[in-house]
């Protein structure tokens, strides 16, 4: 005998489970909690330099931040030698253009006082005897020697072409210190090697 299937009486009834009303996931709160990660600040530019209690500090402009967020940071904390060199170079250019920058915390009195002072002599104009050359740089596009003077603790940069004329012996000593000599075997030693 055949069993007839009656579609009007379904075998299983699928139940739809409804989530209880009002139980919303509190997503908003999770978004509001800002994870305090240590952001990496990138220095965009070095703006100024000062000395506080014998420690050199630089005024930094941070990438992605406004000028209001500029901060003074001690030199030893910085890892941007290129930007510091660029700043120092621009200072030199500004000074040689007759603009004197006050080495103060920005009060006008100091600036005035510096203007009245005679221009500070640099290099051979100081009339001192060159003792030795400490280093050399060509960052300005011209080779400059960092000269240490006799009876003075203050070294300064002098153009190499001027040093070559005024104190060639000091220049030669500087180069000799940095030369590495390669020892080549003499002719006699070479003959001995051939016989062996």
């Amino acid at each position: 005998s055949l069993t007839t299937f009656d579609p009007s009486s379904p075998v299983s009834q699928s139940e739809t489970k409804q989530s209880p009303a009002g139980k919303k996931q509190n997503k908003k709160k999770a978004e509001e909690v800002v994870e305090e990660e240590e952001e990496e600040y990138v220095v965009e530019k070095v703006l100024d330099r000062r000395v506080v209690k014998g420690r050199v500090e630089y005024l930094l402009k941070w990438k992605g931040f406004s000028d209001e967020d500029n901060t003074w940071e001690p030199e030893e904390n910085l890892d941007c030698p290129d930007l510091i060199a660029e700043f120092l170079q621009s200072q030199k250019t500004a000074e040689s253009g007759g603009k004197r920058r006050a080495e103060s915390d920005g009060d006008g009195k100091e600036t005035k006082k510096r203007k009245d002072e005679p221009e500070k002599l640099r290099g051979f104009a100081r009339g001192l005897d060159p003792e030795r050359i400490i280093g050399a740089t060509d960052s300005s596009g011209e080779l400059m020697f960092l000269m240490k003077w006799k009876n003075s603790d203050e070294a300064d940069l002098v153009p190499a072409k001027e040093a070559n004329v005024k104190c060639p012996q000091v220049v030669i000593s500087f180069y000799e210190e940095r030369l590495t000599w390669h020892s080549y075997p003499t002719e006699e030693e070479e003959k001995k090697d051939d016989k062996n």
Side-chain angles (χ1 to χ4, degrees), residues 78-168:
L78 304 182
D79 188 22
C80 52
D82 302 352
L83 292 173
I84 292 171
E86 194 182 300
F87 165 74
L88 293 173
Q89 195 54 49
S90 70
Q91 286 304 112
K92 260 190 220 156
T93 316
E95 282 192 12
S96 60
K99 290 179 197 164
R100 301 295 293 167
R101 189 177 56 90
E103 192 88 47
S104 72
D105 291 353
D107 52 53
K109 288 179 207 162
E110 183 72 23
T111 319
K112 241 183 186 172
K113 204 171 84 182
R114 285 185 83 91
K115 275 183 186 167
D116 298 339
E117 282 178 19
E119 190 78 19
K120 196 171 182 186
L121 295 172
R122 287 263 162 238
F124 289 102
R126 292 164 69 181
L128 297 170
D129 290 328
E131 189 177 314
R132 66 191 186 93
I133 295 165
I134 306 167
T137 176
D138 60 356
S139 58
S140 60
E142 180 189 4
L143 182 62
M144 306 283 279
F145 290 134
L146 185 61
M147 186 71 76
K148 164 84 176 70
W149 306 95
K150 284 178 185 169
N151 307 320
S152 172
D153 293 331
E154 196 181 346
D156 54 16
L157 288 167
V158 296
K161 57 186 178 192
E162 203 177 335
N164 292 342
V165 175
K166 296 196 173 171
C167 55

Side-chain angles (χ1 to χ4, degrees), residues 42-110:
V42 180
V43 179
E44 191 178 304
K45 202 174 180 192
V46 177
L47 301 172
D48 207 350
R49 176 182 180 273
R50 69 179 181 186
V51 181
V52 180
K53 292 175 187 167
R55 199 167 68 160
V56 177
E57 292 184 353
Y58 289 99
L59 181 61
L60 306 179
K61 163 89 172 76
W62 299 97
K63 216 170 204 165
F65 292 87
S66 68
D67 287 339
E68 289 167 21
D69 297 310
N70 295 350
T71 56
W72 287 100
E73 299 292 336
E75 189 175 28
E76 62 265 23
N77 289 4
L78 304 182
D79 188 22
C80 52
D82 302 352
L83 292 173
I84 292 171
E86 194 182 300
F87 165 74
L88 293 173
Q89 195 54 49
S90 70
Q91 286 304 112
K92 260 190 220 156
T93 316
E95 282 192 12
S96 60
K99 290 179 197 164
R100 301 295 293 167
R101 189 177 56 90
E103 192 88 47
S104 72
D105 291 353
D107 52 53
K109 288 179 207 162
E110 183 72 23

Side-chain angles (χ1 to χ4, degrees), residues 19-25:
S19 54
K23 198 177 181 187
K24 288 179 185 171
Q25 273 190 311

